[in-house]
Amino acid sequence: MYNSDFLSQLGCQLPIIQAPMAGAQDSRLAIAVCHAGGLGSLPCAMLSIEQIEREIVYIRANTASPFNVNFFAHHQVDYTPEMQNRWLQVLQPYYQQFGLSEQDICHTGGRQPFNQATADLLADLKVPLVSFHFGLPEDKLLQQIKASGAKVISTATTLTEARWLQAKGVDAIIAQGLEAGGHRGMFLHNDIATQSGTFALLPNLVKAIDLPVIAAGGISDAATSQCTFSLGADAVQAGTAFLLADEAKTKAGHKTALQSSKASDTRLTNIFSGGIARGIATPFIESLGIHPAVPPFPHAAFVTDPIKNRAEQLGNNDFSAMWAGQNACLAVPGSAKAIIERILPSAV
Ligand SMILES: Cc1cc2nc3c(=O)[nH]c(=O)nc-3n(C[C@H](O)[C@H](O)[C@H](O)COP(=O)(O)O)c2cc1C
């Protein structure tokens, strides 16, 4: 019943991509998904170049199946002291609550945009598929990846973004509906009013775009995946459904929240990174929401992270970014294989 032209050409048996989820998984989940016949993904946005190489080599050593490596393609905006001060002022009550000061702000780490060194590594390692969030890297880097033989896909959250990606020469487009957990891949605009749900975005893209369209956002079981295939999806990309996988690295507090009544209340917020993302509602998210004083992605994390980290040290998850989609309450624990069987029951 299901067949993905795009994924079967890559050598993948089932029309499902396990969404890359930075901070919630590593190569272990990607390998388990590959073993189960799906396309496993490695999120690289928060890894050093050495870690990326090690993880790709490890995946290769453990599966002969194709896999996806995922990067953020945001354009880094300069971070000014004014931006920091404005955000610090907003977060001052929380800094006081946890006994924090400006000295606790740390400017290292964070999410790195795709760069030349990474493009060189991918060309050397000849990976089969590279996916991007937040648009695409500059043309020179994109052409280098394509010349190495890799297929390239990226996320669109509107028809305008999908047309832009098509003109840039991607091989397939991920249609990320508003239901989706984690960061929205918006890159041509920052206006949440432009965003639509999977049920509306997907058929619009299928009609107007001359490329395979992969549905993402809210796909957590057989009924939701069947809907997207009926609407013309070539394959599905599911994230939240894999957060309770045995092979995922989802933090304990996040897992507990996913299995509680809290899972049915997710919100959009920009307070953790500066980019708009969906996660399980907490009092912290509810009071700040999508805040106008937040520094641009990914810089907000420098000031917000100390609060999150201190609270987590104290066993308090009320300040954690527990990314999850609107169908989080459909997620069930189990092996990656069992989760794929739930999403694509008649394909396995
Ligand atoms: C915990 C979490 C982390 C995510 N991290 C990434 C990421 O690193 N790269 C990326 O392209 N998408 C990321 N996403 C978004 C997914 O690619 C995808 O759009 C989303 O999970 C689909 O919606 P769903 O969660 O309802 O299945 C993340 C999603 C979640 C839930």
Side-chain angles (χ1 to χ4, degrees), residues 123-205:
D124 280 354
L125 295 176
K126 301 224 173 307
V127 296
L129 178 65
V130 182
S131 75
F132 289 101
H133 217 44
F134 311 124
L136 288 169
E138 59 180 284
D139 286 344
K140 187 176 119 222
L141 301 182
L142 180 63
Q143 295 318 322
Q144 187 180 349
I145 299 168
K146 287 176 74 92
S148 76
K151 298 281 183 208
V152 174
I153 63 177
S154 183
T155 295
T157 67
T158 59
L159 182 54
T160 313
E161 287 179 343
R163 287 202 168 109
W164 187 94
L165 292 173
Q166 178 170 250
K168 287 281 183 186
V170 298
D171 297 289
I173 292 179
I174 303 157
Q176 191 196 35
L178 196 51
E179 298 91 331
H183 280 88
R184 303 213 45 70
M186 304 161 76
F187 62 93
L188 289 184
H189 39 65
N190 207 16
D191 181 0
I192 201 66
T194 62
Q195 303 291 286
S196 48
T198 307
F199 200 75
L201 179 67
L202 177 62
N204 272 298
L205 263 57

Side-chain angles (χ1 to χ4, degrees), residues 19-22 43 70 72 133 176 179-182 216-218 237-240 243 323 325:
M21 295 186 288
N70 169 262
F72 288 174
H133 217 44
Q176 191 196 35
E179 298 91 331
Q237 173 163 303
T240 302
L243 284 172
W323 300 140

